[in-house]
Amino acid sequence: MKKISTLLCAFTAFALVLAGCGDKGGGASSSSPSPSSSSAPSSSGEASQATDDISKKLTLTMMVSTAAGGGWTDDHPMVKYLNDKFNIDLKFQWVPGDSYNEKLNVLAASNNFPDVFQIWDAATYSKWMQKGVFLDLQPLLADYPNLVGNVTDEAMAMMNPKGKVFGLPMYAPAFRSNLSIRQDWLDKLDLKAPGTVDEFYEVAKAFTTQDPDGNGRPDTIGFSMSVSNSGDILGIDYLKGAFGLANRWKDDNGTLVAMQTQAEEWKALATYLRQAYSDGVLDKDFPVNKERDPWNKLEGNTNGIAEVNPNEVYKQSVPTLQKLAPEADIVQLDPPAGPTGLRFANTITSTTKIVLNAKLDEEKQRRILQVIDFMFSDEGYIWSKNGIEGVHYTKNGDTYEKLDAFDNDRPQILSTWFIRRFDPSIQIRLWDDKAYVDKVLAWFENTEPYAWTNPAAGLISETFSKSGIQLDQKFTAAIVKVITGNAPVESIDDAVKAWRSGGGDKIIEETNALYADLK
């Protein structure tokens, strides 16, 4: 595709897949299980799996970034299953997420990469791809129909040179952070869900000043946010978009515009947040909050509005909150309309890639792709999400029952942390109640009209790789000073000039050059 829409379609495809329309995104297989289905696969919808020779036992190494709980042991049932099925000795290297990039750099220094691993950072992916670290998978993919059939063409092409595939895309739901509100607080204060940013402010102010938790103490806040180490203001994308800011970049008649140059939009948003901070409506701790703290405070009965993951609302957030407030209820809130009617939601385009070591011989290349192809098949998709029948769940007629081993073994972590189909129901289990499934998927579907796409996702400027984070940190520090009342709103003009003169203009030039190559 030579049109600008090469990337834009990829982002649209993410949104369409989330609404259960993956086939419209240009690549998802029609045999992919319906997002609302929790049943086992039928025999008719399954593409044939690759039949490479597996008579020779191979040792394979796989490095995976982990979150809470860490990875599997070598004798884990899921590891044994893969070993037996593919005649391999699979050696996992489980690396905590906060030290994963550091581990990659150590491996790069010794030129000793595992057989298959993840690259989370787009700049690293671009740099190492050009150095020949990754295997070009394009000549092999036709032999693995489950893999090809359950990844959109646009996502497969993203960040890869035309005609080559050095990395497989890791799917992430575009709308995994959805805006939510305390319905019980609205009811107690006789308020309606806000539809505009002005109404949002009034509701948030009431949550702060009118004692919605009924404990007689001024210990509640309207909404919260955080500031990341890389210089991003997190948790308020719905407000950024409402005031006209881009999701990092916007396309203005074919030219990319960086959000850091949008002085007037930043001043309008900062003025709004400055008032909220002064009134105590905005969490006073936002400059030191960690990314999940606004959500933690929602679950802790102190915050009234926050972005949440629909997959965790009913299984974690509501039960946690109801231990403190038994009548509490969290519901979805549409993004509020800004002064000109703009409404946008937090929208993520995953740039994580799964790569194979370029040094692998053909036997290992194909064995690894067999394993991945299996995970994308109907059978493997069920396995990767739910575990092993008889070990992690049982089937009774048309119903399924989770066994205790599922919680102990956590068989789903490979699909959660490593690679999975393009399907928003990735965290839906066979035994989940249909009413629950419908509620979760409704959050994704309801947010789809408010997609806030970044047309430059995956385009890595050389200057940004060298100094972009430092520039963003300085720029955001200036914005924070305005919000907290430590600098005038007009100082944002100086912050924009400093960003541009410090390297921002070069980033804009280089990113637009990369963008032009897509036309």
Side-chain angles (χ1 to χ4, degrees):
M1 230 181 248
K2 291 201 179 266
K3 299 180 181 178
I4 298 172
S5 59
T6 302
L7 275 184
L8 296 181
C9 283
F11 310 139
T12 304
F14 273 91
L16 289 173
V17 172
L18 292 171
C21 305
D23 57 321
K24 297 179 184 178
S29 170
S30 61
S31 66
S32 178
S34 165
S36 61
S37 171
S38 293
S39 62
S42 65
S43 59
S44 60
E46 177 86 357
S48 60
Q49 289 179 219
T51 56
D52 295 327
D53 179 25
I54 62 169
S55 59
K56 179 181 177 181
K57 189 167 187 175
L58 300 178
T59 298
L60 303 178
T61 55
M62 178 183 292
M63 190 165 82
V64 180
S65 173
T66 69
W72 298 327
T73 58
D74 289 345
D75 62 350
H76 191 281
M78 296 292 277
V79 179
K80 288 182 176 180
Y81 184 94
L82 290 175
N83 285 343
D84 292 342
K85 185 175 183 65
F86 295 101
N87 194 21
I88 56 177
D89 182 11
L90 186 55
K91 301 295 186 183
F92 278 101
Q93 298 175 22
W94 305 98
V95 181
D98 57 3
S99 60
Y100 188 82
N101 285 338
E102 180 182 349
K103 176 67 173 180
L104 277 179
N105 289 328
V106 171
L107 294 174
S110 61
N111 196 22
N112 186 28
F113 291 105
D115 297 332
V116 57
F117 55 105
Q118 298 162 307
I119 299 291
W120 289 86
D121 178 64
T124 300
Y125 177 77
S126 178
K127 179 176 65 176
W128 289 359
M129 177 179 64
Q130 295 173 27
K131 291 184 176 181
V133 173
F134 314 136
L135 179 71
D136 178 16
L137 304 173
Q138 182 60 46
L140 303 171
L141 289 178
D143 293 335
Y144 304 95
N146 295 304
L147 170 56
V148 175
N150 288 291
V151 174
T152 64
D153 294 338
E154 294 81 6
M156 191 73 85
M158 184 180 174
M159 298 165 59
N160 286 309
K162 185 176 180 180
K164 296 182 180 297
V165 176
F166 288 102
L168 301 172
M170 178 177 175
Y171 168 72
F175 308 119
R176 64 180 180 269
S177 293
N178 285 239
L179 190 57
S180 73
I181 192 167
R182 286 286 297 274
Q183 181 64 51
D184 56 310
W185 284 9
L186 288 173
D187 294 342
K188 180 174 182 178
L189 302 180
D190 196 24
L191 298 170
K192 294 181 179 180
T196 68
V197 291
D198 288 339
E199 294 170 356
F200 179 93
Y201 191 94
E202 292 307 313
V203 167
K205 186 173 183 179
F207 284 175
T208 303
T209 60
Q210 296 183 27
D211 192 27
D213 62 352
N215 67 0
R217 298 191 297 270
D219 56 358
T220 55
I221 52 176
F223 68 104
S224 184
M225 62 188 196
S226 62
V227 180
S228 73
N229 292 334
S230 58
D232 288 324
I233 295 177
L234 305 175
I236 58 162
D237 281 359
Y238 56 93
L239 290 178
K240 291 180 187 176
F243 281 93
L245 284 168
N247 184 358
R248 303 297 300 181
W249 297 89
K250 73 172 183 176
D251 184 316
D252 185 7
N253 294 319
T255 299
L256 291 175
V257 176
M259 70 169 185
Q260 293 88 346
T261 66
Q262 295 182 272
E264 296 308 310
E265 290 85 350
W266 273 113
K267 285 190 281 188
L269 174 62
T271 298
Y272 181 92
L273 296 174
R274 182 186 181 101
Q275 186 64 50
Y277 183 84
S278 176
D279 290 346
V281 174
L282 169 61
D283 183 8
K284 294 279 190 180
D285 293 331
F286 85 84
V288 296
N289 277 343
K290 296 185 182 303
E291 181 176 353
R292 202 186 188 280
D293 281 348
W295 189 356
N296 291 337
K297 293 177 182 182
L298 178 76
E299 294 176 347
N301 200 33
T302 59
N303 184 19
I305 303 169
E307 290 181 348
V308 299
N309 185 333
N311 284 302
E312 299 181 32
V313 169
Y314 302 110
K315 289 189 174 181
Q316 174 178 314
S317 297
V318 171
T320 299
L321 176 57
Q322 287 181 345
K323 291 178 181 178
L324 302 172
E327 302 302 318
D329 188 21
I330 299 172
V331 298
Q332 186 173 18
L333 177 64
D334 287 339
T340 63
L342 293 174
R343 304 178 79 150
F344 292 111
N346 176 287
T347 307
I348 301 296
T349 300
S350 174
T351 57
T352 301
K353 294 291 186 180
I354 308 302
V355 299
L356 273 64
N357 192 329
K359 295 180 178 180
L360 294 179
D361 60 38
E362 185 174 357
E363 278 188 309
K364 282 195 172 186
Q365 296 171 16
R366 289 192 170 276
R367 200 71 61 90
I368 290 169
L369 288 176
Q370 270 190 293
V371 173
I372 295 175
D373 188 73
F374 164 70
M375 290 185 65
F376 277 80
S377 70
D378 287 350
E379 176 191 357
Y381 187 57
I382 296 294
W383 171 87
S384 68
K385 292 203 306 176
N386 304 280
I388 302 167
E389 184 175 0
V391 177
H392 301 114
Y393 67 92
T394 59
K395 183 179 180 182
N396 302 304
D398 293 331
T399 64
Y400 296 84
E401 179 183 351
K402 182 183 74 168
L403 300 177
D404 290 342
F406 180 88
D407 294 325
N408 296 328
D409 289 349
R410 297 173 303 128
Q412 79 282 13
I413 64 174
L414 200 59
S415 67
T416 304
W417 295 342
F418 192 67
I419 197 167
R420 61 275 189 116
R421 276 184 177 186
F422 276 52
D423 181 356
S425 66
I426 189 62
Q427 293 190 49
I428 300 298
R429 311 298 170 203
L430 288 168
W431 49 85
D432 284 332
D433 178 77
K434 185 178 184 302
Y436 163 79
V437 173
D438 290 344
K439 284 198 302 182
V440 170
L441 295 179
W443 284 66
F444 294 117
E445 184 175 355
N446 293 341
T447 308
E448 192 274 333
Y450 308 115
W452 190 46
T453 55
N454 174 5
L459 300 182
I460 307 303
S461 155
E462 182 179 352
T463 301
F464 181 83
S465 296
K466 293 178 179 178
S467 58
I469 290 179
Q470 292 83 355
L471 281 173
D472 286 352
Q473 289 171 334
K474 292 178 181 178
F475 180 83
T476 297
I479 300 294
V480 169
K481 285 184 178 180
V482 173
I483 295 171
T484 57
N486 293 309
V489 174
E490 292 72 22
S491 67
I492 290 177
D493 290 324
D494 294 329
V496 171
K497 291 177 182 177
W499 184 86
R500 299 191 69 145
S501 63
D505 280 340
K506 192 66 174 175
I507 292 173
I508 293 172
E509 176 187 342
E510 293 169 355
T511 305
N512 270 284
L514 294 169
Y515 195 52
D517 289 340
L518 300 174
K519 300 180 183 179

